[in-house]
Amino acid sequence: MLGPITEVMGDCLTLIPSRPDGKGGTRRVEVDDVGRAFIRFASGAQGSVEGNWIATGRKMQHDFEVYGTKGALSFSQERFSELHFYATGDGPGRRGFRRIEAAPDHEPYGRFCVAPGHQLGFNDLKAIEVEGYIRAIAGEAPEPFNFRAGLRIQTLVETIQRSSAARAWLSIPA
């Protein structure tokens, strides 16, 4: 268990300070074009997060990579139906990432993938999320994205922005 994020070092940049306003003029940009954060967890583990709105060549690159002592996972939202898995325990000659494709035997995706190799779509994922939300409202499942979780995320974002301005590591308020 990683535990909560305890410290962050942010780097937020607005590289394009004004944009066309659609009326023949320009308007000042008030959001960051690139935001990065180095993060430290209570367990001592570390990580990084980056959001880049001006990177060219990508359509929907919402990715994550997780590395641990026993393996790694990699996912790109540009390839919804694929998860890449690496196990350090694989024998010589068998080491490397293997692709796992969403299939009918991976619940709840089986309701959308009629057969192995069929792709999941964005709307399929939204339907899965809405079902989880409805089940939480009905009291059938916990709601992972409640007010407390939202407040924690907002606190992280604001601390990352303050860290960027201060150019320093900052602790996350408890």
Side-chain angles (χ1 to χ4, degrees):
M1 184 77 171
L2 296 175
I5 296 171
T6 57
E7 292 180 281
V8 296
M9 166 66 89
D11 182 30
C12 304
L13 305 166
T14 301
L15 300 170
I16 303 171
S18 64
R19 293 196 172 94
D21 65 5
K23 301 174 187 172
T26 60
R27 64 178 174 82
R28 190 173 146 259
V29 173
E30 298 182 20
V31 297
D32 300 316
D33 294 312
V34 179
R36 298 180 192 96
F38 292 101
I39 55 180
R40 292 179 178 157
F41 294 87
S43 68
Q46 298 182 23
S48 64
V49 178
E50 179 177 343
N52 187 330
W53 296 105
I54 60 173
T56 57
R58 295 295 186 173
K59 304 242 186 290
M60 189 64 163
Q61 186 184 3
H62 294 186
D63 298 3
F64 72 77
E65 296 177 355
V66 178
Y67 300 93
T69 57
K70 295 182 181 180
L73 288 172
S74 175
F75 171 81
S76 174
Q77 201 164 350
E78 288 183 337
R79 312 242 349 149
F80 265 139
S81 300
E82 296 179 8
L83 181 66
H84 293 259
F85 172 70
Y86 176 84
T88 58
D90 287 346
R94 302 291 299 164
R95 293 187 182 125
F97 278 89
R98 65 188 91 154
R99 186 180 73 209
I100 301 169
E101 292 183 355
D105 53 342
H106 298 119
E107 280 301 321
Y109 309 114
R111 289 178 255 158
F112 299 93
C113 290
V114 295
H118 287 253
Q119 301 296 307
L120 229 52
F122 182 79
N123 292 334
D124 300 330
L125 291 181
K126 290 299 153 196
I128 290 167
E129 290 172 5
V130 167
E131 180 205 20
Y133 182 62
I134 290 170
R135 290 186 64 225
I137 290 172
E140 299 171 7
E143 171 52 64
F145 303 108
N146 55 30
F147 179 81
R148 178 172 279 127
L151 177 60
R152 178 81 174 155
I153 290 167
Q154 186 62 38
T155 300
L156 285 168
V157 169
E158 291 174 2
T159 306
I160 289 166
Q161 291 171 329
R162 285 196 325 273
S163 168
S164 177
R167 298 182 179 263
W169 282 93
L170 295 181
S171 295
I172 302 298

